Amino acid sequence: MFDPELVVYNAGTDILDGEGRLKISPDGIANRDEKVFRFARERTIPIVMLTSGGYMKSSARVIADSMINLSKKCLIDMGKNAT
């Protein structure tokens, strides 16, 4: 039985196409993040997201776009001043 009290999510972007062998697209990163956050949200489990890996300058944009996607899907609250 898997019943965590907290999810610590290592959300590395070193799996992006151009970084390593996995060649995951930016949309793939957003989909991955959404699945993890949806899992935690549906079970009311607190989640800590740690960004890691990803050594291209474009990784920052991929992470930001994923956060915006999570906010639009109401999986995170970025506050009233976030766009």
Side-chain angles (χ1 to χ4, degrees):
M1 179 177 205
F2 183 64
D3 189 25
E5 294 179 24
L6 174 70
V7 172
V8 178
Y9 173 41
N10 182 356
T13 55
D14 52 350
I15 62 172
L16 277 168
D17 190 15
E19 285 273 349
R21 295 181 183 174
L22 293 181
K23 302 184 185 322
I24 305 299
S25 70
D27 286 341
I29 296 285
N31 289 335
R32 175 203 64 181
D33 293 348
E34 187 177 329
K35 286 179 183 182
V36 173
F37 273 81
R38 193 170 304 284
F39 170 88
R41 173 67 70 133
E42 288 172 354
R43 291 160 181 80
T44 62
I45 304 167
I47 185 167
V48 175
M49 180 179 186
L50 307 170
T51 59
S52 66
Y55 305 102
M56 300 184 303
K57 287 183 180 182
S58 60
S59 290
R61 178 80 264 158
V62 171
I63 294 166
D65 288 344
S66 180
M67 296 295 96
I68 291 167
N69 176 60
L70 293 172
S71 179
K72 287 180 180 176
K73 304 262 174 111
C74 298
L75 295 170
I76 62 171
D77 181 4
M78 294 188 355
K80 66 179 183 178
N81 295 323
T83 55

